[in-house]
């Protein structure tokens, strides 16, 4: 029973994450705009993903418990490039890419660095969600933001709470996923709220 649940959670998470950002990318391309998407939120999310992946890899945790992160990072990079493209400043993406690549190596130089980064990772990831929420509250318009992407993010956090409890039982990781689950649900609800408001106005 437990093995079956673990298998389902791992593979359903991977399946969802393989297409997680595609609705957001599609919405952005269809709108030909980055309206509604917070650049600081996206950069913070990417930083959080990078730190989390490096932490899991550093401690040799089971691959299936974090295999979705390289996929998510790749999709976030594509999304980031489209945001820069639609804002008319693609070249500004280069310094950020250089920082992210160099961070991958710096994070594993000392154990205390990766541990500190992981503790800050939850704060960074939470800040990315609050940046998106703040952007939505200010604009009062969800624009090209995909509620499906945020809803799927909430699902993957829920499944990762289960897999973490069944494998590593790492408290730092558990706290991160519980907080991210709550914030992803909040962003999803906010996107849907402003979408309904725009529809009523029309």
């Amino acid at each position: 029973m437990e093995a079956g649940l673990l298998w389902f959670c791992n593979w359903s998470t991977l399946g969802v994450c393989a297409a997680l950002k595609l609705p957001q990318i599609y919405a952005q391309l269809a709108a030909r705009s980055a309206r509604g998407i917070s650049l600081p939120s996206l950069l913070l999310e990417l930083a959080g993903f990078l730190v989390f992946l490096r932490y899991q890899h550093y401690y040799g945790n089971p691959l299936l418990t974090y295999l979705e992160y390289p996929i998510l990072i790749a999709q976030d990079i594509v999304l980031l490039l489209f945001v820069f493209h639609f804002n008319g400043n693609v070249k500004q993406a280069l310094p950020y890419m250089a920082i992210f690549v160099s961070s991958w190596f710096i994070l594993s130089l000392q154990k205390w660095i990766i541990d500190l980064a992981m503790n800050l990772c939850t704060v960074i990831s939470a800040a990315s969600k609050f940046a998106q929420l703040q952007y939505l509250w200010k604009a009062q318009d969800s624009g090209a933001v995909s509620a499906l992407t945020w809803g799927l993010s909430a699902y993957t956090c829920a499944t990762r709470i289960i897999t973490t409890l069944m494998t590593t039982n790492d408290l730092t990781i558990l706290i991160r996923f519980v907080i991210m689950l709550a914030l992803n649900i909040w962003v999803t609800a906010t996107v849907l709220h402003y979408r309904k408001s725009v529809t009523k106005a029309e």
Side-chain angles (χ1 to χ4, degrees):
M1 178 69 177
E2 284 189 6
L5 179 61
L6 183 61
W7 182 90
F8 173 78
C9 288
N10 277 327
W11 288 103
S12 67
T13 300
L14 284 173
V16 167
C17 286
L20 184 65
K21 299 289 182 174
L22 297 184
Q24 182 61 76
I25 293 169
Y26 175 78
Q28 203 176 0
L29 288 173
R32 304 289 300 169
S33 164
R35 186 172 58 92
I37 298 169
S38 165
L39 180 59
S41 171
L42 192 54
L43 290 168
L44 287 167
E45 180 181 67
L46 192 52
F49 285 166
L50 185 73
V51 170
F52 188 78
L53 175 62
R54 197 60 171 132
Y55 177 87
Q56 294 274 40
H57 183 264
Y58 183 86
Y59 281 103
N61 288 335
L63 185 62
L64 275 178
T65 61
Y66 65 93
L67 190 57
E68 70 270 21
Y69 279 86
I71 301 168
L72 290 172
I73 288 169
Q75 291 181 59
D76 256 1
I77 289 170
V78 171
L79 192 56
L80 185 65
L81 289 173
F82 277 130
V83 168
F84 279 114
H85 169 72
F86 288 123
N87 288 339
N89 47 14
V90 178
K91 288 181 181 178
Q92 286 187 11
L94 293 175
Y96 293 109
M97 294 302 171
I99 291 167
F100 286 131
V101 170
S102 59
S103 296
W104 177 261
F105 299 101
I106 293 167
L107 285 169
S108 61
L109 288 176
Q110 296 285 336
K111 183 181 180 296
W112 70 267
I113 296 175
I114 192 69
D115 287 342
L116 177 63
M118 185 59 195
N119 286 323
L120 292 172
C121 180
T122 300
V123 177
I124 292 168
S125 296
S128 80
K129 313 299 179 190
F130 279 115
Q132 183 61 59
L133 282 166
Q134 188 178 31
Y135 195 93
L136 289 167
W137 294 332
K138 186 178 178 181
Q140 294 193 353
D141 178 11
S142 59
V145 181
S146 169
L148 178 59
T149 290
W150 286 97
L152 291 174
S153 293
Y155 170 79
T156 61
C157 286
T159 57
R160 280 309 177 207
I161 290 170
I162 296 168
T163 59
T164 303
L165 284 169
M166 295 176 73
T167 54
T168 61
N169 213 21
D170 188 315
L171 185 60
T172 306
I173 293 173
L174 274 174
I175 291 169
R176 179 183 188 277
F177 281 129
V178 169
I179 293 170
M180 292 306 102
L181 172 62
L183 291 174
N184 281 328
I185 291 170
W186 192 0
V187 175
T188 304
T190 305
V191 171
L192 292 172
H193 168 72
Y194 286 125
R195 190 149 296 156
K196 284 179 183 176
S197 299
V198 170
T199 303
K200 284 179 184 177
E202 288 173 353

